[in-house]
Amino acid sequence: MFRKTLQGFVASLALLIALAYSFGYDYLFKGIRETYLRGETGSSISDGTYFPSHIIAKGESRPWENDSLYNKKPLPKDLVEVLSQSKTVSFLVIKNGKLLHEEYWNGHSKTTKTNSFSMAKAVNVMLLGKAIEDQKIKGLNEKYSDFYKNYEHVEFGKDLTLGDLAKMEAGLDWKENYRNPFLPNAKAYYGRSLAEAVFLRGFKEKPGTQFEYQSGASQLLGFAIRRAVNKSIAEYASEKLWKPLGMEQNADWTVDENGMEKTFCCIQSNSRDYAKLGQLFLDDGKVGNQQIMNPTFLEVMRTPTKLSNGVYGMGLWINNDATIKHYYFRGLYGQYIIIIPDKKMVVVRTGTYKDEPQDEKGRPKLVGLIVDEVVKNF
């Protein structure tokens, strides 16, 4: 009896595995291996080591200069409580270009690398700006079909521009959902081929007519940038950002099995270096006397689009409704690089905040609270 039951179980399991491969769901096995079998219920800020990656090489490091009041004033109790409840692992405050406060929890330190998740989308758009500066790409209005000719024959594909992708106005048939393992985010994150995950998606509406946040749009943009610059995305990021910014450590950008970077997510870096990306915006693209990014392009990135109801620019989330205006890089589970222009401040928060409350426009309430508390106390 037991033997027949075991044989039936094995046969059923073999059938399920065969069906998974037949219908393109074989990535689920990697997802299970890298989550549940490691004691997690989903992706994590420390799972970068479980995936192949390309190095974003640093150049000559230029560490942050400490402010004269560095770590002399503790965080307010209310903020500490919120950071603790939201499972924060790092919290940095930069003011006037100097490191004012730095704190880590749960075994993390200034050298700990964590997953950027969707903060990488803003880096991807920054590389688009550099490719335009380098005349590798004509501009935001360049058609996607200039890079992948088959899009000339895809319904709505012929209308798609790089600007549509950067603004999240691509019109893709892509439902952004990180929990459903059968939807495209999981396939892009755990699958073998990003090309399979994104190029096989069609369109549900004409690009440029509707704002809808879609990781597939960022990944399509990454493919176009790589083809335009004729080098890996990580190599281009090293050349155009990590080296000029004087990052303290090499970073890693997760890739698929074909060596393509996951440009919708997954840079593994430390919080001090994340802060330098924010400072670059605060300084309008300059590092010292060197202009490393076009300030006009950065201004477009941080200007809210009409279709987004004022919450998104290109790769950046924006809150100009707040008393203290701010904009920020935003990643899953509450990874933030927050820029507060009027106060000359950059704040970095990393951690694991699942089910974070949002305002009526879909922006995380935690960001607004952090801005208010930091400005009030620093």
Side-chain angles (χ1 to χ4, degrees), residues 107-150:
H108 288 242
S109 72
K110 67 181 182 180
T111 60
T112 304
K113 296 179 182 179
T114 57
N115 196 334
S116 71
F117 288 113
S118 289
M119 292 200 300
K121 289 180 170 70
V123 178
N124 193 37
V125 176
M126 293 168 77
L127 297 180
L128 168 63
K130 291 305 299 182
I132 292 172
E133 283 184 53
D134 292 343
Q135 298 184 337
K136 303 291 186 180
I137 290 174
K138 295 174 185 176
L140 294 176
N141 292 325
E142 186 162 10
K143 294 289 183 69
Y144 201 75
S145 57
D146 288 351
F147 303 91
Y148 292 92
K149 295 295 183 183
N150 60 303

Side-chain angles (χ1 to χ4, degrees), residues 20-292:
Y21 276 90
S22 298
F23 289 97
Y25 292 120
D26 53 295
Y27 63 87
L28 293 174
F29 302 121
K30 182 174 178 62
I32 292 170
R33 184 174 69 248
E34 306 304 357
T35 54
Y36 297 107
L37 297 184
R38 297 186 187 275
E40 301 284 350
T41 58
S43 57
S44 74
I45 59 172
S46 59
D47 66 7
T49 56
Y50 308 144
F51 298 87
S53 62
H54 286 161
I55 292 173
I56 311 175
K58 70 179 184 68
E60 181 180 352
S61 296
R62 292 190 296 277
W64 285 101
E65 179 182 351
N66 288 350
D67 189 273
S68 60
L69 298 177
Y70 171 73
N71 274 8
K72 290 185 177 179
K73 185 176 183 180
L75 295 174
K77 290 183 179 179
D78 289 347
L79 180 57
V80 170
E81 183 177 349
V82 170
L83 295 177
S84 176
Q85 291 174 349
S86 61
K87 297 184 179 179
T88 300
V89 298
S90 78
F91 193 78
L92 277 66
V93 179
I94 311 295
K95 187 172 184 180
N96 296 321
K98 295 182 181 180
L99 184 58
L100 179 59
H101 189 89
E102 179 179 34
E103 201 161 348
Y104 301 92
W105 297 268
N106 197 29
H108 288 242
S109 72
K110 67 181 182 180
T111 60
T112 304
K113 296 179 182 179
T114 57
N115 196 334
S116 71
F117 288 113
S118 289
M119 292 200 300
K121 289 180 170 70
V123 178
N124 193 37
V125 176
M126 293 168 77
L127 297 180
L128 168 63
K130 291 305 299 182
I132 292 172
E133 283 184 53
D134 292 343
Q135 298 184 337
K136 303 291 186 180
I137 290 174
K138 295 174 185 176
L140 294 176
N141 292 325
E142 186 162 10
K143 294 289 183 69
Y144 201 75
S145 57
D146 288 351
F147 303 91
Y148 292 92
K149 295 295 183 183
N150 60 303
Y151 274 74
E152 292 178 348
H153 310 293
V154 177
E155 186 179 11
F156 297 134
K158 63 182 184 300
D159 303 311
L160 183 66
T161 68
L162 300 188
D164 294 330
L165 296 170
K167 296 173 185 176
M168 294 295 174
E169 298 170 7
L172 296 175
D173 180 16
W174 181 292
K175 185 174 182 180
E176 189 77 3
N177 185 309
Y178 295 94
R179 296 187 174 182
N180 189 328
F182 298 101
L183 291 177
N185 283 76
K187 185 170 185 176
Y189 196 82
Y190 293 109
R192 299 170 182 270
S193 170
L194 287 163
E196 286 184 12
V198 298
F199 283 130
L200 298 181
R201 308 298 302 186
F203 294 80
K204 61 183 179 182
E205 59 197 358
K206 184 176 180 179
T209 61
Q210 183 76 26
F211 170 78
E212 184 176 357
Y213 184 86
Q214 297 176 322
S215 289
S218 291
Q219 191 59 54
L220 285 176
L221 180 59
F223 273 109
I225 295 170
R226 187 180 74 164
R227 178 158 287 191
V229 301
N230 196 30
K231 58 182 65 175
S232 77
I233 295 293
E235 185 180 355
Y236 199 58
S238 168
E239 178 185 330
K240 300 300 179 180
L241 295 174
W242 255 246
K243 288 181 178 178
L245 283 167
M247 297 302 202
E248 295 187 25
Q249 288 180 273
N250 293 339
D252 305 285
W253 204 325
T254 303
V255 299
D256 69 3
E257 292 188 5
N258 299 311
M260 177 63 202
E261 287 80 0
K262 297 177 183 178
T263 53
F264 69 95
C265 75
C266 308
I267 295 171
Q268 321 297 325
S269 188
N270 69 74
S271 296
R272 284 186 166 205
D273 286 347
Y274 284 140
K276 289 197 171 189
L277 294 170
Q279 189 67 39
L280 185 63
F281 278 86
L282 202 56
D283 294 336
D284 292 324
K286 294 187 76 173
V287 177
N289 295 322
Q290 184 184 6
Q291 190 76 50
I292 73 166

